[in-house]
Amino acid sequence: MAKPRLVAAVLALSAAFAATGVHQGHEYTTTSSASVAPLAYVVGKTGLVQVVDTRNGTVLVQADTGGRATGVAVSPDGRRLYVVNGWTGAITVVDPATGEIVDRLFTQVQLSHAVMRPDGQRLYVSAGGGVAVVDPENFQMVAVVKAGGQPQGLAVHPNNKILYVANSQDGTVGLIDTATAFQTSAVQVGGLPQHLAISPDGKRLYVSAMRLGGSTPGTVSVIDTTTNQVVGAVEVGRGAGSIAVTPDGATVYLTLPKERSVVVLDAATMTVRERLPIDAPSVAIAPGDTRVFLATGTTTTVLDSTNAVLTTYRMKTGELQEARPRPFDAALVAFPPQPTGTGLRTSSSKSSRSSTGSS
């Protein structure tokens, strides 16, 4: 295990924020060996990680990141898993092939969500007053973006040029130029934006937002990324959970943990197609895969394209070098982003420094 280290760039971060291989038991239905996403990276609330073979439900690897998890991202090549231990202000790098903790970066501020740029050259992590920009090649913080109030969810355009951030206190979605690491504009969506998801073609950005008041319905808004205008919105229910878009861009899934349900939206009409009685804090869909993965506590539930339960993987407790087993409570599911461009350099901690100057 690598020794935790505090990078010098954390001083700038703090100032900016102040100004602003174990097999587990499972229940499953065997899926095709041609599944697009052979592995799912499931993270529990307490920071436990399990790498699941999506073809048969086998838990291949376990890891313990040692702190409550609030976000997760995967390198495009699937060789590095970045877990945000938000309450302790740490970003932990896991080798999903072995479960080894490869590195850890402490920021001294509370962190929230994470997203990997599709080209693998930058990792973005939201926090109280901005967005930390991390170079995955050498695992160093290279910039801090001053965003709006209380940044939460993140998404990157497939062209790698724009980072979107949900500014929850401002009711806006900020647009950050990834080359300059500056927020260039913001789109007003209202409420308290929490989670973002972008369509595979990059033309539509979906925003889940809470509303003040316990009985006030939350919303999902859609932004046309070519005009940066809100072109639709729909009330969905209390809260604002995780959001994901199918590879064809036709369907949007939203979790509503407060209502213990999952909302299925028609992307074209922005209407509710169906409400599924599933209690899940997080939803994820792998690039090019028609299956929908839901973190459902002691299980990971997989839906097919008709929203029927295709598979249920039971995530049983592992020892993880402790005298007593710790319970696994699945909270996040992640997959590698869809790599874009030519000559892709996939990220790997402890490798050579990138030659690009973008932030």
Side-chain angles (χ1 to χ4, degrees):
M1 174 177 173
K3 182 180 179 181
R5 56 190 172 86
L6 178 65
V7 297
V10 76
L11 298 177
L13 177 67
S14 298
F17 289 178
T20 58
V22 177
H23 176 76
Q24 297 293 308
H26 49 266
E27 297 174 0
Y28 60 84
T29 300
T30 301
T31 60
S32 169
S33 60
S35 299
V36 173
L39 300 178
Y41 306 86
V42 185
V43 182
K45 290 181 180 179
T46 62
L48 298 179
V49 175
Q50 295 187 1
V51 180
V52 181
D53 185 332
T54 68
R55 296 168 299 179
N56 55 27
T58 301
V59 176
L60 302 173
V61 173
Q62 291 189 104
D64 187 355
T65 63
R68 188 174 180 86
T70 60
V72 61
V74 188
S75 63
D77 59 10
R79 295 180 180 179
R80 289 292 181 264
L81 184 69
Y82 300 87
V83 177
V84 179
N85 304 117
W87 290 12
T88 55
I91 306 170
T92 303
V93 187
V94 179
D95 182 343
T98 64
E100 177 189 2
I101 304 301
V102 178
D103 212 339
R104 203 187 307 270
L105 188 156
F106 287 98
T107 65
Q108 296 184 334
V109 296
Q110 283 196 353
L111 304 174
S112 187
H113 299 249
V115 69
M116 175 65 69
R117 211 162 73 186
D119 62 9
Q121 296 181 21
R122 289 294 183 265
L123 171 72
Y124 301 100
V125 181
S126 59
V131 178
V133 183
V134 177
D135 180 353
E137 293 284 342
N138 52 24
F139 200 48
Q140 289 186 358
M141 196 182 307
V142 295
V144 177
V145 182
K146 178 62 178 174
Q150 200 62 39
Q152 294 291 324
L154 302 166
V156 182
H157 194 281
N159 67 11
N160 300 296
K161 295 180 179 180
I162 302 173
L163 169 69
Y164 301 94
V165 53
N167 299 317
S168 62
Q169 288 184 350
D170 295 352
T172 66
V173 173
L175 279 67
I176 294 171
D177 185 326
T178 62
T180 62
F182 281 98
Q183 179 171 303
T184 58
S185 61
V187 180
Q188 187 72 41
V189 294
L192 305 172
Q194 300 295 309
H195 295 265
L196 303 176
I198 195 162
S199 61
D201 62 8
K203 294 181 179 180
R204 292 164 73 90
L205 179 72
Y206 298 90
V207 187
S208 66
M210 297 188 297
R211 300 286 173 173
L212 295 176
S215 60
T216 305
T219 61
V220 172
S221 302
V222 57
I223 297 172
D224 182 333
T225 61
T226 60
T227 63
N228 295 326
Q229 299 292 320
V230 175
V231 294
V234 59
E235 292 186 346
V236 289
R238 292 183 299 118
S242 171
I243 193 165
V245 188
T246 54
D248 61 5
T251 308
V252 178
Y253 288 82
L254 171 76
T255 65
L256 292 177
K258 288 187 177 181
E259 297 189 352
R260 297 184 177 182
S261 65
V262 175
V263 176
V264 184
L265 300 174
D266 184 301
T269 62
M270 287 299 290
T271 56
V272 176
R273 285 184 189 166
E274 191 174 357
R275 292 182 184 271
L276 309 175
I278 300 175
D279 186 3
S282 179
V283 59
I285 302 174
D289 200 321
T290 59
R291 296 172 297 172
V292 179
F293 292 76
L294 296 161
T296 47
T298 58
T299 63
T300 299
T301 300
V302 186
L303 309 179
D304 65 15
S305 58
T306 69
N307 298 327
V309 175
L310 175 68
T311 305
T312 301
Y313 306 139
R314 185 158 297 280
M315 321 296 291
K316 288 193 175 180
T317 304
E319 295 292 337
L320 294 173
Q321 299 179 347
E322 295 186 3
R324 303 180 67 179
R326 288 172 60 185
F328 190 87
D329 190 357
L332 301 163
V333 183
F335 298 97
Q338 179 67 57
T340 59
T342 59
L344 176 67
R345 295 183 307 101
T346 52
S347 61
S348 177
S349 182
K350 302 295 189 183
S351 60
S352 62
R353 184 173 179 83
S354 169
S355 60
T356 178
S358 67
S359 296

